[in-house]
């Protein structure tokens, strides 16, 4: 039997995998059919997610995935920076079992980068931060980070993050390497820089213009001099992690 906790967890995982975009409507009836459960259970899950800042409800639209504003984006990254650097700073020593777990997670990230499952890649890059908090011995903050990471994943989708997935993975590897040699100060500095770089990669200006996409589509077509030129291939993108 599915529980409201199971439903909430599946929705969080879908957000982390970039399978639920900001503004996606979450109909109670549709979810109850999908999970083969009552609408009461679905509503309980959605109420929990609303309290955690992942979904919101409108009297006219019903439940839908949040669309964070510029200010909410700034606050979410600042919260993650404070939590994650503080966790590293307060850690005296990380044991070998935790380091093995982190190294295994990094191997999964590297494997996902070589594959074509963007959802798996996005999920693993975001989940690294939750895994790190768990390995540093604070489950409460790990749960909090899961929600903040989901929110920053939505922010990345909404504001078209240009941060490179390969760079995210390399940042994670550098942080773990610093922890492995007992250099918490360097790990803290690397984490702060990593989160700052992901935040800086957001195109926050684009969302302020509701006609941005249409404006770009209807811009004058370039003349012959621009013909034949191809755009350079884009690099893989990641969620803010």
């Amino acid at each position: 039997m599915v529980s409201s906790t199971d439903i909430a967890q599946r929705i969080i995982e879908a957000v982390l995998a970039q399978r639920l975009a900001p503004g996606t409507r979450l109909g109670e009836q549709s979810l109850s059919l999908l999970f083969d459960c009552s609408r009461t259970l679905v509503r309980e899950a959605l109420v929990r997610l609303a309290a955690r800042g992942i979904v919101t409800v409108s009297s006219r639209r019903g439940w839908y995935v949040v669309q964070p504003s510029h200010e909410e984006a700034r606050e979410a990254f600042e919260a993650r920076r404070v939590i994650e650097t503080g966790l590293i700073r307060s850690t005296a020593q990380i044991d070998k079992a935790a380091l093995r777990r982190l190294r295994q997670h990094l191997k999964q990230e590297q494997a996902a980068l070589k594959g074509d499952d963007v959802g798996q890649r996005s999920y693993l890059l975001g989940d690294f931060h939750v895994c790190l908090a768990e390995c540093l011995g604070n489950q409460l903050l790990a749960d909090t980070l899961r929600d903040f990471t989901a929110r920053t994943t939505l922010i990345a989708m909404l504001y078209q993050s240009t941060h490179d997935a390969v760079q995210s993975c390399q940042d994670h590897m550098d942080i773990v390497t610093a922890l492995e040699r007992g250099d918490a100060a360097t790990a803290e500095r690397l984490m702060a820089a990593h989160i700052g770089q992901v935040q800086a990669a957001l195109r926050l200006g684009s969302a302020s213009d509701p006609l941005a996409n249409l404006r770009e589509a209807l811009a004058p077509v370039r003349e012959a001099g621009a013909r034949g030129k191809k755009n350079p291939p884009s690099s893989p993108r990641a969620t803010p992690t």
Side-chain angles (χ1 to χ4, degrees), residues 163-210:
H163 195 67
D164 186 82
V166 175
Q167 184 59 54
S168 272
C169 183
Q170 184 60 56
D171 290 349
H172 296 170
M173 292 174 66
D174 292 343
I175 291 165
V176 172
T177 297
L179 289 171
E180 200 166 28
R181 65 172 183 262
D183 189 353
T186 296
E188 180 185 343
R189 177 178 56 79
L190 290 170
M191 180 63 80
H194 171 59
I195 295 174
Q197 289 165 4
V198 175
Q199 182 178 5
L202 300 176
R203 296 175 177 174
L204 291 175
S206 63
S208 61
D209 181 4

Side-chain angles (χ1 to χ4, degrees), residues 52 83 87 130 133-148:
R52 294 161 63 181
I83 292 171
L87 262 174
V130 180
E134 291 175 342
C135 288
L136 294 178
N138 197 313
Q139 185 60 52
L140 180 61
L141 286 180
D143 292 339
T144 301
L145 272 176
R146 182 174 288 105
D147 293 346
F148 277 122

Side-chain angles (χ1 to χ4, degrees), residues 36-180:
D36 191 21
C37 66
S38 68
R39 292 182 62 172
T40 300
L41 277 180
V42 169
R43 195 173 300 114
E44 286 178 8
L46 294 174
V47 167
R48 288 185 182 184
L49 290 175
R52 294 161 63 181
I54 306 301
V55 305
T56 189
V57 65
S58 165
S59 58
R60 299 183 64 181
R61 292 182 58 194
W63 297 95
Y64 58 96
V65 179
V66 297
Q67 295 178 284
S69 66
H70 288 192
E71 182 61 20
E72 288 169 333
R74 184 192 65 77
E75 290 177 351
F77 277 99
E78 182 59 28
R80 283 192 54 188
R81 187 179 294 107
V82 170
I83 292 171
E84 298 193 57
T85 57
L87 262 174
I88 293 172
R89 189 184 314 126
S90 63
T91 300
Q93 188 71 34
I94 183 168
D95 62 41
K96 292 182 178 179
L99 285 170
R100 283 196 298 271
R101 181 181 172 191
L102 286 169
R103 285 295 179 190
Q104 180 60 35
H105 195 287
L106 291 175
K107 287 181 181 179
Q108 292 176 325
E109 286 186 25
Q110 291 173 308
L113 287 173
K114 296 176 182 178
D116 56 4
D117 189 339
V118 176
Q120 177 73 355
R121 183 181 70 199
S122 173
Y123 177 83
L124 287 169
L125 289 170
D127 193 55
F128 167 82
H129 296 265
V130 180
C131 180
L132 177 60
E134 291 175 342
C135 288
L136 294 178
N138 197 313
Q139 185 60 52
L140 180 61
L141 286 180
D143 292 339
T144 301
L145 272 176
R146 182 174 288 105
D147 293 346
F148 277 122
T149 303
R151 285 176 68 82
T152 49
T153 298
L154 291 170
I155 290 164
M157 287 189 280
L158 184 62
Y159 296 108
Q160 302 173 26
S161 174
T162 60
H163 195 67
D164 186 82
V166 175
Q167 184 59 54
S168 272
C169 183
Q170 184 60 56
D171 290 349
H172 296 170
M173 292 174 66
D174 292 343
I175 291 165
V176 172
T177 297
L179 289 171
E180 200 166 28

Side-chain angles (χ1 to χ4, degrees), residues 8-23:
Q9 181 62 26
R10 287 279 293 278
I11 291 173
I12 290 285
E13 289 174 355
V15 168
L16 288 171
Q18 297 190 32
R19 292 172 181 163
L20 280 178

